[in-house]
Structure formats: C-alpha cells, structure tokens
Amino acid sequence: MLFLMGMKPALEEVKLECIKKQHATHTCHYNFTVNGIPYHYIDNGCKGRREDIIKRAESGKLGLARDWKIECKAKSTKNN
C-alpha cells in the first residue's frame, strides 16, 4: 500500500545483541533487536556462519521469532 502512494517504508535497524551456544543440545541462539524490539533465531546444529546469519537478518530473509529465549548477559562497565 505504501508503494502505491509513492512512500518508502521506514528502514529497519537490525542489531545483533549476543550469541549463546548450548553445547548439550548443539544449538546456537542469536538475539537481535529490530527497531528496538527483541527477536531471536535458533540455529540447530550451529551450521550457519555468524556473518551469513547477520546478512540474512538484515535482508529480511531470516525467520526471526519474537522475544528472546535466552537472555544476554549485561555488559559490565568498569569505573576508572
């Protein structure tokens, strides 16, 4: 509908927040934020390369699920 009116959709900002590997189940969990909303992707067998998964997420060709299954660790800050 937006294309018919000559308007372009807003660009999506895709950011990889963290990756967690679960060795017991041999799965890799990728946590993304898309326009500030959390999404996740689970790679069974950890077969995909990190760069390829990020490119697919940015192009919209990766099936992302809403919310995070595994939380990212909070980044520690050092007070100097």
Side-chain angles (χ1 to χ4, degrees):
M1 182 71 176
L2 292 175
F3 294 111
L4 296 177
M5 295 185 294
M7 299 169 61
K8 293 182 181 177
L11 295 176
E12 293 185 354
E13 179 185 351
V14 178
K15 182 179 176 189
L16 177 66
E17 295 293 330
C18 69
I19 301 171
K20 296 271 185 149
K21 278 190 176 184
Q22 287 188 326
H23 295 286
T25 58
H26 201 57
T27 56
C28 294
H29 296 263
Y30 292 82
N31 287 346
F32 291 94
T33 54
V34 179
N35 293 336
I37 301 171
Y39 289 92
H40 74 272
Y41 172 72
I42 300 173
D43 182 13
N44 292 316
C46 297
K47 296 176 184 174
R49 289 186 13 219
R50 176 183 174 165
E51 296 81 21
D52 293 339
I53 290 176
I54 293 171
K55 284 180 187 176
R56 288 175 53 204
E58 289 173 345
S59 67
K61 295 182 180 180
L62 190 66
L64 297 174
R66 190 71 186 260
D67 295 324
W68 292 345
K69 267 198 158 329
I70 295 179
E71 291 295 321
C72 293
K73 289 183 183 178
K75 294 180 180 179
S76 61
T77 58
K78 294 183 181 180
N79 293 332
N80 292 335

